[in-house]
Amino acid sequence: MDWQPDEQGLQQVLQLLKDSQSPNTATQRIVQDKLKQLNQFPDFNNYLIFVLTRLKSEDEPTRSLSGLILKNNVKAHYQSFPPPVADFIKQECLNNIGDASSLIRATIGILITTIASKGELQMWPELLPQLCNLLNSEDYNTCEGAFGALQKICEDSSELLDSDALNRPLNIMIPKFLQFFKHCSPKIRSHAIACVNQFIMDRAQALMDNIDTFIEHLFALAVDDDPEVRKNVCRALVMLLEVRIDRLIPHMHSIIQYMLQRTQDHDENVALEACEFWLTLAEQPICKEVLASHLVQLIPILVNGMKYSEIDIILLKGDVEEDEAVPDSEQDIKPRFHKSRTVTLPHEAERPDGCEDAEDDDDDDALSDWNLRKCSAAALDVLANVFREELLPHLLPLLKGLLFHPEWVVKESGILVLGAIAEGCMQGMVPYLPELIPHLIQCLSDKKALVRSIACWTLSRYAHWVVSQPPDMHLKPLMTELLKRILDGNKRVQEAACSAFATLEEEACTELVPYLSYILDTLVFAFGKYQHKNLLILYDAIGTLADSVGHHLNQPEYIQKLMPPLIQKWNELKDEDKDLFPLLECLSSVATALQSGFLPYCEPVYQRCVTLVQKTLAQAMMYTQHPEQYEAPDKDFMIVALDLLSGLAEGLGGHVEQLVARSNIMTLLFQCMQDSMPEVRQSSFALLGDLTKACFIHVKPCIAEFMPILGTNLNPEFISVCNNATWAIGEICMQMGAEMQPYVQMVLNNLVEIINRPNTPKTLLENTGRLTSPSAIPAITIGRLGYVCPQEVAPMLQQFIRPWCTSLRNIRDNEEKDSAFRGICMMIGVNPGGVVQDFIFFCDAVASWVSPKDDLRDMFYKILHGFKDQVGEENWQQFSEQFPPLLKERLAAFYGV
């Protein structure tokens, strides 16, 4: 006998569903409590499915809501449903997937995929066969409902469907789906493509076996009347471009022609999917050869797509010029993620091209939804990087008309175009910049806020060139105008100007020193005027300024301007306020720059950081012991606090000693170094290294406990943790000297293994924007270990000398490099045989020094001449024949070999 509801119970559930649609918060709270109570009854879920599938007399929103509450229950505790309840729900779903209402069909589909993804695909063997069977139904609703459910299952469980666990159902499903590409209903055609699309990126075997049929069917649907179908066709082609370009190459010319049309589709969703094609194509090696002849059509289409649509302008309140007095709504503020401190070697080789911040493309944040304008701009940006100057003949004729256009929307899009090509076409643009930059600086005072804000962004993309010219030419006018924009009456302009100014600061560095007083007056004035969201960006601009001008900021008049407002904010914020993150990051930069100038402020700042670490650790402990009573802490508070403590230790040096003496930071650090979260460990090791340099007397008593932890963190899977631990070990070596001996074996093998890893990924350095090869840090630490304990390290010389030399040859002369090379020389003294096979690498590394200290140069001289004398003149001649000419010259000039 089928389950039947109790009438009174049913009325109670219906009342609850009605109440839960009330906007009143008090009612909502009562509903939540009532739900908790009802969930104690096992058959409450039967009532919910009953309302969804059987109560046709109720209105659709109520029935659908009943299904959504049931879905949440399934998500939360499906495992504890009694079997009869679970079976009833499954049966009802399959029996009613063809409901007359599309909303109810969709709700049942969501419910089915939720049950399926609870590990039930294996436990519900009849699900897929039945749904596939229902596709054959003559009844449109049944076919559409089954397809909707299948599409959701394909989205949620694509990997499982392509595995042996289920006997590879895709072998049947994919050919089945392909039949429906020709169905008379557009909704069904669209479902069919969407289902197959789920399996492209994972290269599911069943799809690869049918790939040519799939592509033929897609081509047949190319001019479908239905926008949803066209959108799915475009999406399929974009993904195929990534995973099966080999099958598309024969048809590439017609695919490109098709995508050119679709990128102009009157349905913006279709145009957006099609526009992704250019982004993906740009990443393919064949891009240049297949696209070159089509640029003449493509460029105008992309440029046209970069205009704001009317709906954009409404959403962006494009007609509102002054809104600075309007408080921000909290949901406008994106969550910020703190980047943990990464230890970097000072002044590595100049940064290569193309490693600027990847984030600078986000020129209209409030629309952070991806749209055609953003996609077109991103496509133009990547294509500019592929085609470089070859793009300009297609662009320059258009640009002139855009940049001086009377309509602001067109002019604005021209400024965006100019910014988008900045990175790729910089060389080709240089001749035009002397004329364009002043025009853009003029646009900074345009009467439309959206023109002013895009001008800020585009100018920031050319900051590098601006700074390379004499300062009075462009830097001074640009800086003056940008500072005015920082105080603009429009919040979007304030934000764009602040971000652009931060970029300018990074490029200009100490060029800004003469204007510091004026810059600080502006930034401090903005403090009093900004709403919440822009305040967070202002902190960043101040922090970047401190990073860029460094100790030049340490002047009493500057400190007097800058510190009071920062400290006032610091005192206003509570310990649990996330606005502390950007403020702590900013103070960390300021403390590092001011050095002793920060002393008057350091005590309260230091104390609070220690408190934040302590509170977070305590909360984490409570949560581990009683997860049901306590919430997990937000460890970002601890990470940011550790990083600010690093900034203090670096800036104050020896002055930090009394603060450390009066706190329990070493105990806390011991716990943080063992935290489960890699970012916490990463910041802990950075702080350990900084404290080792600043006040080793407090670190030394802990070394016996700390070293084993450092050893276990030499795991290159967490590259930043590994780097920071390695760097800290190197700093400890320099303080411990020969007393390091008991700990060498704990770390040496891991370090040698790390330095020998094939091409360790290059890490992009947060603070300098330069690239450092991570293997440089292990090399320096191995050198330092050898410097203090040559007898222990030298026997391994042969195992690391080659990668050691190659990773240090690119680093500029500095203290770290100096101590590492002293170490290698001492180890060669102990084990000269270890270097013989790779001596050419050693020669090359020695030649990378511009001006070594005299005694280090003597060490090099002795080793080079010792080797030459050892092998004899004739062999040396043969050996040095292999040297590149430049290396030969340098060694002859500096060391006479």
Side-chain angles (χ1 to χ4, degrees):
M1 180 59 196
D2 229 0
W3 177 87
Q4 287 300 327
D6 165 74
E7 192 48 43
Q8 197 185 346
L10 189 59
Q11 288 316 313
Q12 212 181 340
V13 170
L14 285 171
Q15 190 53 49
L16 182 73
L17 292 167
K18 294 273 187 288
D19 290 345
S20 65
Q21 293 171 61
S22 144
N24 179 338
T25 17
T27 316
Q28 284 297 335
R29 232 177 269 128
I30 296 168
V31 168
Q32 286 308 318
D33 292 342
K34 189 86 180 134
L35 271 176
K36 270 202 188 101
Q37 286 170 9
L38 288 171
N39 267 320
Q40 306 304 311
F41 299 101
D43 66 352
F44 172 49
N45 293 304
N46 286 4
Y47 283 90
L48 291 174
I49 190 80
F50 188 89
V51 174
L52 173 66
T53 57
R54 305 268 186 104
L55 270 196
K56 312 266 158 117
S57 53
E58 279 302 322
D59 61 282
E60 288 178 15
T62 302
R63 290 172 61 199
S64 171
L65 183 65
S66 184
L68 294 175
I69 292 175
L70 176 54
K71 174 210 70 161
N72 289 338
N73 283 351
V74 167
K75 242 192 171 126
H77 28 247
Y78 184 72
Q79 277 67 23
S80 55
F81 282 22
V85 173
D87 289 341
F88 181 62
I89 294 172
K90 291 192 296 203
Q91 177 199 327
E92 285 298 300
C93 284
L94 284 174
N95 291 346
N96 294 280
I97 192 72
D99 193 281
S101 143
S102 64
L103 175 65
I104 302 300
R105 292 198 299 274
T107 309
I108 294 176
I110 291 172
L111 188 51
I112 288 177
T113 186
T114 310
I115 296 174
S117 54
K118 279 301 210 188
E120 278 291 303
L121 264 178
Q122 287 98 319
M123 308 297 292
W124 192 357
E126 67 276 19
L127 173 64
L128 294 172
Q130 284 205 9
L131 286 176
C132 286
N133 232 349
L134 292 171
L135 296 181
N136 303 328
S137 167
E138 293 297 307
D139 173 48
Y140 166 79
N141 290 341
T142 305
C143 178
E144 195 279 326
F147 238 135
L150 279 165
Q151 182 180 335
K152 295 181 182 82
I153 294 171
C154 291
E155 284 168 15
D156 294 341
S157 310
S158 62
E159 278 179 33
L160 187 59
L161 291 171
D162 189 29
S163 71
D164 286 327
L166 300 174
N167 280 332
R168 306 212 167 260
L170 287 189
N171 295 338
I172 297 163
M173 289 162 70
I174 298 258
K176 180 99 183 162
F177 294 154
L178 289 171
Q179 294 167 9
F180 285 88
F181 277 41
K182 299 192 163 74
H183 196 276
C184 59
S185 148
K187 187 95 196 267
I188 305 271
R189 293 197 296 275
S190 176
H191 277 316
I193 309 169
C195 282
V196 180
N197 282 358
Q198 292 308 318
F199 302 101
I200 299 177
M201 294 311 284
D202 292 333
R203 297 184 166 83
Q205 194 49 53
L207 176 55
M208 295 302 128
D209 295 342
N210 289 282
I211 196 79
D212 292 328
T213 317
F214 176 43
I215 291 172
E216 264 168 55
H217 283 41
L218 284 175
F219 289 169
L221 292 175
V223 287
D224 202 282
D225 296 338
D226 184 76
E228 198 58 29
V229 173
R230 293 198 303 274
K231 185 180 95 177
N232 281 331
V233 169
C234 291
R235 182 173 291 172
L237 288 170
V238 171
M239 292 191 286
L240 286 168
L241 192 58
E242 236 177 286
V243 297
R244 285 311 301 262
I245 193 164
D246 56 314
R247 310 313 287 159
L248 297 186
I249 286 175
H251 318 281
M252 198 50 95
H253 179 77
S254 21
I255 294 176
I256 287 174
Q257 285 302 327
Y258 174 65
M259 286 297 185
L260 286 167
Q261 289 175 325
R262 289 288 70 82
T263 308
Q264 307 170 77
D265 201 289
H266 46 264
D267 183 300
E268 188 179 329
N269 293 320
V270 179
L272 177 56
E273 281 299 336
C275 194
E276 296 277 355
F277 181 82
W278 314 113
L279 268 179
T280 305
L281 184 57
E283 290 167 6
Q284 306 300 324
I286 60 153
C287 176
K288 227 172 162 163
E289 57 175 288
V290 297
L291 201 53
S293 58
H294 302 277
L295 286 178
V296 63
Q297 295 162 280
L298 173 60
I299 299 302
I301 294 173
L302 290 178
V303 167
N304 195 40
M306 287 163 75
K307 290 203 294 281
Y308 276 126
S309 65
E310 286 170 33
I311 184 97
D312 289 344
I313 295 169
I314 295 165
L315 287 171
L316 289 170
K317 307 191 176 58
D319 302 329
V320 179
E321 292 305 316
E322 279 212 18
D323 60 358
E324 64 173 351
V326 183
D328 295 328
S329 75
E330 286 310 305
Q331 61 264 38
D332 285 349
I333 300 173
K334 283 200 188 143
R336 290 183 83 266
F337 299 103
H338 171 71
K339 294 195 181 96
S340 312
R341 198 174 177 91
T342 313
V343 177
T344 63
L345 299 170
H347 326 298
E348 299 220 15
E350 279 303 315
R351 72 164 172 207
D353 286 341
C355 66
E356 270 82 3
D357 283 354
E359 300 160 66
D360 49 15
D361 267 315
D362 209 359
D363 50 286
D364 26 69
D365 240 357
L367 272 192
S368 56
D369 302 337
W370 193 235
N371 56 22
L372 185 60
R373 164 189 166 91
K374 289 190 169 179
C375 191
S376 305
L380 189 60
D381 181 354
V382 290
L383 290 170
N385 276 299
V386 172
F387 286 94
R388 303 279 165 185
E389 284 59 62
E390 295 166 40
L391 213 59
L392 293 177
H394 306 287
L395 256 177
L396 290 172
L398 298 171
L399 255 177
K400 204 144 193 153
L402 298 172
L403 287 170
F404 298 94
H405 201 281
E407 275 181 64
W408 75 265
V409 178
V410 181
K411 175 163 142 187
E412 193 277 346
S413 72
I415 301 173
L416 172 60
V417 168
L418 200 53
I421 60 169
E423 199 186 331
C425 302
M426 182 60 86
Q427 287 325 104
M429 288 306 295
V430 165
Y432 308 97
L433 292 179
E435 181 186 347
L436 279 174
I437 297 293
H439 175 63
L440 286 172
I441 292 176
Q442 249 181 323
C443 293
L444 285 175
S445 42
D446 193 277
K447 59 183 198 301
K448 291 304 285 187
L450 289 171
V451 173
R452 298 198 297 278
S453 63
I454 198 67
C456 290
W457 178 74
T458 293
L459 280 160
S460 75
R461 301 269 287 175
Y462 290 96
H464 187 74
W465 181 84
V466 166
V467 171
S468 70
Q469 305 298 299
D472 286 353
M473 293 274 295
H474 305 291
L475 177 62
K476 210 169 159 187
L478 171 59
M479 188 183 63
T480 313
E481 282 307 307
L482 265 184
L483 288 170
K484 286 184 196 157
R485 292 291 68 82
I486 285 179
L487 303 178
D488 200 279
N490 179 279
K491 291 194 286 192
R492 166 166 284 100
V493 179
Q494 295 171 355
E495 176 184 0
C498 250
S499 300
F501 195 70
T503 306
L504 185 64
E505 290 169 338
E506 284 175 351
E507 291 291 352
C509 292
T510 49
E511 299 271 349
L512 296 179
V513 172
Y515 319 108
L516 264 174
S517 182
Y518 178 44
I519 293 172
L520 286 169
D521 284 340
T522 305
L523 297 179
V524 168
F525 190 74
F527 253 111
K529 144 183 191 101
Y530 275 13
Q531 297 294 341
H532 187 179
K533 180 181 174 188
N534 287 350
L535 206 48
L536 307 183
I537 297 165
L538 181 63
Y539 293 142
D540 183 51
I542 292 172
T544 308
L545 179 67
D547 294 336
S548 302
V549 300
H551 64 90
H552 296 284
L553 200 56
N554 190 5
Q555 298 290 336
E557 63 150 330
Y558 301 153
I559 297 176
Q560 261 332 97
K561 287 180 196 230
L562 180 60
M563 287 310 296
L566 282 177
I567 293 295
Q568 187 193 336
K569 287 286 175 206
W570 169 262
N571 291 331
E572 283 169 17
L573 292 176
K574 294 192 174 57
D575 279 352
E576 38 287 329
D577 192 326
K578 291 200 174 175
D579 285 8
L580 274 176
F581 298 171
L583 179 54
L584 285 154
E585 285 172 29
C586 167
L587 280 171
S588 181
S589 297
V590 170
T592 310
L594 290 184
Q595 296 171 347
S596 59
F598 198 80
L599 273 173
Y601 308 95
C602 66
E603 180 120 21
V605 173
Y606 179 89
Q607 284 318 61
R608 185 166 193 182
C609 286
V610 173
T611 308
L612 282 170
V613 174
Q614 199 155 3
K615 275 189 175 174
T616 313
L617 284 172
Q619 202 183 333
M621 182 90 106
M622 311 267 267
Y623 173 70
T624 316
Q625 289 166 357
H626 307 285
E628 65 295 336
Q629 280 175 301
Y630 295 97
E631 282 195 7
D634 180 343
K635 290 190 180 172
D636 272 356
F637 284 104
M638 174 157 74
I639 295 167
V640 185
L642 290 166
D643 289 347
L644 176 44
L645 288 169
S646 281
L648 288 175
E650 195 182 333
L652 300 174
H655 295 293
V656 84
E657 190 274 322
Q658 295 115 321
L659 296 170
V660 174
R662 294 200 297 273
S663 71
N664 62 340
I665 186 67
M666 298 314 294
T667 317
L668 298 174
L669 198 51
F670 181 62
Q671 289 175 266
C672 293
M673 286 163 52
Q674 299 175 78
D675 197 272
S676 57
M677 187 176 178
E679 291 77 6
V680 176
R681 302 199 301 277
Q682 180 181 334
S683 293
S684 315
F685 296 138
L687 176 55
L688 177 61
D690 283 316
L691 289 175
T692 299
K693 287 170 86 165
C695 54
F696 189 61
I697 78 168
H698 296 298
V699 178
K700 194 169 181 185
C702 313
I703 289 297
E705 286 188 296
F706 283 6
M707 282 308 297
I709 301 173
L710 285 163
T712 48
N713 276 280
L714 297 177
N715 169 7
E717 243 180 282
F718 300 106
I719 190 75
S720 302
V721 180
C722 183
N723 264 344
N724 288 8
T726 305
W727 175 73
I729 293 168
E731 291 300 339
I732 290 169
C733 282
M734 299 311 286
Q735 301 289 341
M736 290 282 281
E739 292 178 62
M740 193 68 189
Q741 195 255 322
Y743 307 109
V744 173
Q745 293 317 318
M746 276 180 200
V747 297
L748 183 58
N749 287 333
N750 284 354
L751 289 171
V752 171
E753 202 174 312
I754 290 166
I755 200 175
N756 277 296
R757 285 187 89 209
N759 51 11
T760 331
K762 294 254 187 280
T763 48
L764 186 53
L765 292 186
E766 325 287 351
N767 48 5
T768 57
R770 302 190 194 291
L771 280 169
T772 176
S773 142
S775 55
I777 295 178
I780 282 174
T781 295
I782 290 175
R784 290 176 153 190
L785 270 172
Y787 179 60
V788 296
C789 301
Q791 297 295 339
E792 280 70 22
V793 185
M796 310 246 331
L797 199 50
Q798 201 177 338
Q799 295 177 39
F800 61 74
I801 185 72
R802 181 184 285 202
W804 190 94
C805 292
T806 46
S807 61
L808 288 186
R809 66 189 295 276
N810 300 325
I811 291 183
R812 297 192 207 152
D813 299 7
N814 62 36
E815 282 304 310
E816 275 114 336
K817 185 169 174 173
D818 179 275
S819 56
F821 271 83
R822 286 171 194 277
I824 213 81
C825 291
M826 291 173 71
M827 290 188 273
I828 292 174
V830 174
N831 176 16
V835 73
V836 171
Q837 287 183 317
D838 297 305
F839 199 69
I840 187 166
F841 289 91
F842 177 71
C843 297
D844 178 53
V846 165
S848 75
W849 277 90
V850 181
S851 45
K853 293 184 182 151
D854 290 343
D855 60 335
L856 182 58
R857 183 190 295 257
D858 288 344
M859 292 164 111
F860 293 157
Y861 185 91
K862 287 197 177 92
I863 292 174
L864 291 170
H865 279 272
F867 187 84
K868 184 179 173 180
D869 298 344
Q870 185 89 34
V871 298
E873 186 64 43
E874 196 179 327
N875 287 336
W876 177 261
Q877 280 309 328
Q878 276 183 316
F879 175 66
S880 59
E881 281 308 306
Q882 312 162 32
F883 290 1
L886 193 64
L887 173 57
K888 221 172 184 166
E889 268 167 50
R890 292 192 73 146
L891 290 177
F894 286 107
Y895 302 101
V897 290

